Amino acid sequence: MITDKHARTESASVVTHLRTAALPPSSLVRIGPGYAAASPELAFTQVAKQLSLTQLVMLGFELCGTYASFSQEETSYHAISLTNVARLFGFVEKSGNFQGKQAARRAVRHVIDGSASPRETQLAMMLVLPYRLGGYGFPMPKLNYAVRPPKHLGARRRYVLDLYWPELKLDVEYDSDAFHAYEEKMLLDGRRRAALEAMGITSVNVASGQVRNSGAFNELAKQLAALANHRLRYKDPDFTKAHLRLRDELGV
């Protein structure tokens, strides 16, 4: 990134970008003496004009989550969140005029903090994105939300719930074989289920096959809508077309 067009390099291994306006605070991260890289917030805004809205929302989930995807086959878990929704939103609003700002502003409104895996991101996006984007329009849940059962239940000190709506006391657990075997979060055991039920929390387990199959996912959405008192108002065939496009972009 340069501030003077005369500083452009002729090297084939370096691409220069001209920016004459001042960068917002926290735009750069020092990575060594004399070297800096774009902060997660700046990177998000820089690629906003290059990615589709769905892809940008996915990136936001990852930046605000605890996983890092290097490819469709390689993902690192238990990562430290690089940023959060509040910081992304604040950066976009203070970043002045730039190409892609409107896309970045639209995308960040659909991002949720705390996703622990690409599959959780896919599930959350398919449930909460508006109908026009192919989602089912559910209110935003808390991701990987910790609840503490009463001591008299004799349960563990806390349970971490994948997708949780506190006001509805509704928990959705994604049973991905690959991820949850790693996390030791298989099907809810009897003690956990009993503890959550005693707290008035309804848990719904979602198998990976339900997510991959559009028909099965539609039935799941109807089940969750009934539990959440959420009326599904989508209209076909437009919604189904949008939902299938969303699935393609998410790689489901």
Side-chain angles (χ1 to χ4, degrees), residues 140-143 145 147 161 163-171 200-201:
M140 285 188 170
K142 303 290 186 181
L143 300 184
Y145 186 84
V147 296
L161 311 183
L163 282 73
Y164 182 57
W165 288 264
E167 67 281 2
L168 302 172
K169 288 190 172 294
L170 176 62
D171 164 44
I201 296 174

Side-chain angles (χ1 to χ4, degrees), residues 199-226:
M199 297 168 66
I201 296 174
T202 300
S203 287
V204 177
N205 282 69
V206 179
S208 57
Q210 290 177 282
V211 175
R212 290 194 297 265
N213 183 284
S214 60
F217 193 83
N218 185 260
E219 292 302 315
L220 169 68
K222 291 177 180 178
Q223 176 190 3
L224 297 179

Side-chain angles (χ1 to χ4, degrees), residues 13-236:
S13 61
V14 175
V15 177
T16 55
H17 298 275
L18 178 66
R19 183 182 176 104
T20 56
L23 289 171
S26 305
S27 291
L28 302 177
V29 178
R30 294 193 180 278
I31 57 176
Y35 292 93
S39 68
E41 296 80 18
L42 176 61
F44 182 81
T45 61
Q46 286 177 319
V47 299
K49 63 181 179 180
Q50 302 169 12
L51 302 180
S52 70
L53 183 60
T54 295
Q55 292 169 332
L56 194 56
V57 174
M58 287 176 66
L59 175 61
F61 267 81
E62 183 170 343
L63 293 175
C64 298
T66 58
Y67 66 95
S69 295
F70 304 103
S71 68
Q72 287 188 338
E73 295 77 26
E74 185 180 2
T75 299
S76 174
Y77 302 105
H78 301 295
I80 297 174
S81 297
L82 297 179
T83 187
N84 56 51
V85 173
R87 284 164 57 184
L88 276 181
F89 182 81
F91 187 91
V92 171
E93 292 302 304
K94 296 177 182 178
S95 56
N97 294 323
F98 65 91
Q99 288 185 325
K101 180 170 184 175
Q102 293 305 316
R105 180 183 284 162
R106 287 180 63 201
V108 76
R109 291 172 179 168
H110 300 300
V111 178
I112 308 173
D113 289 326
S115 179
S117 74
R119 296 302 185 190
E120 285 185 5
T121 292
Q122 291 171 350
L123 176 59
M125 287 180 63
M126 287 196 293
L127 287 176
V128 307
L129 286 181
Y131 298 139
R132 69 180 185 279
L133 297 179
Y136 281 83
F138 279 82
M140 285 188 170
K142 303 290 186 181
L143 300 184
N144 293 286
Y145 186 84
V147 296
R148 300 182 183 277
K151 292 182 179 179
H152 73 270
L153 294 177
R156 60 189 299 177
R157 286 181 294 179
R158 69 173 191 165
Y159 293 112
V160 178
L161 311 183
D162 288 353
L163 282 73
Y164 182 57
W165 288 264
E167 67 281 2
L168 302 172
K169 288 190 172 294
L170 176 62
D171 164 44
V172 173
E173 295 291 312
Y174 182 66
D175 294 326
S176 164
D177 295 337
F179 179 64
H180 282 127
Y182 180 88
E183 282 292 293
E184 296 182 355
K185 285 180 61 179
M186 299 298 286
L187 294 175
L188 293 175
D189 60 22
R191 177 176 293 183
R192 175 186 171 114
R193 184 178 295 278
L196 294 180
E197 288 180 352
M199 297 168 66
I201 296 174
T202 300
S203 287
V204 177
N205 282 69
V206 179
S208 57
Q210 290 177 282
V211 175
R212 290 194 297 265
N213 183 284
S214 60
F217 193 83
N218 185 260
E219 292 302 315
L220 169 68
K222 291 177 180 178
Q223 176 190 3
L224 297 179
L227 292 171
N229 195 27
H230 171 68
R231 185 177 177 184
L232 296 176
R233 300 175 182 270
Y234 61 80
K235 295 181 180 180
D236 274 328

